[in-house]
C-alpha cells in the first residue's frame, strides 16, 4: 500500500483554501515498501507535464502559478506504486497574480 503526505504549497500557511500570491512550490512526499512508480499532479483536472515535476528522493513537486487572478484552483497528486496501487490527495488554492 502506498503512503503519501498532505499536498501543501510551501509558504501558504494552514488556511483553507490555501492562499498563494504569484506562485508556490507545491510538493508531496510519497513512500512505499516496494517503491513509488510515480506521482502525477493535476491542476483543475489537467495533468501537469512530467517535465515540470521535480523529484528529490521521495519528494515530488512543481511550481504552481494561479490560473488567473482570484482563481480558486484544485490541485491534486496521485501516487502510484509498482503494484499499481494508487492514492490521491488534493487541496484547494485561492491564487492571486
Amino acid at each position: 500500500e502506498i503512503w503519501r503526505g498532505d499536498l501543501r504549497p510551501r509558504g501558504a500557511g494552514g488556511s483553507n483554501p490555501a492562499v498563494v500570491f504569484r506562485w508556490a512550490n507545491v510538493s508531496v512526499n510519497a513512500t512505499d515498501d516496494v517503491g513509488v512508480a510515480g506521482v502525477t499532479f493535476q491542476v483543475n483536472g489537467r495533468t501537469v507535464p512530467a517535465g515540470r515535476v521535480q523529484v528529490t528522493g521521495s519528494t515530488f513537486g512543481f511550481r504552481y502559478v494561479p490560473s488567473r487572478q482570484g482563481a480558486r484552483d484544485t490541485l491534486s497528486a496521485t501516487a502510484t506504486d509498482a503494484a499499481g496501487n494508487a492514492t490521491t490527495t488534493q487541496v484547494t488554492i485561492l491564487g492571486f497574480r
Side-chain angles (χ1 to χ4, degrees):
E1 181 177 10
I2 197 160
W3 179 89
R4 52 87 184 136
D6 290 330
L7 176 65
R8 295 201 187 280
R10 290 188 190 128
S15 61
N16 187 12
V19 177
V20 170
F21 295 93
R22 294 187 183 244
W23 59 270
N25 289 321
V26 177
S27 64
V28 64
N29 291 320
T31 59
D32 184 72
D33 58 347
V34 176
V36 175
V39 173
T40 302
F41 288 98
Q42 291 190 331
V43 178
N44 298 328
R46 297 182 68 171
T47 300
V48 174
R52 289 187 49 208
V53 176
Q54 298 178 354
V55 181
T56 305
S58 64
T59 301
F60 297 75
F62 75 103
R63 179 173 282 195
Y64 158 79
V65 176
S67 60
R68 60 182 167 73
Q69 179 67 17
R72 192 173 189 95
D73 293 330
T74 300
L75 278 59
S76 65
T78 301
T80 307
D81 70 7
N85 299 309
T87 189
T88 300
T89 188
Q90 72 178 28
V91 65
T92 299
I93 294 181
L94 183 57
F96 297 93
R97 287 186 168 197

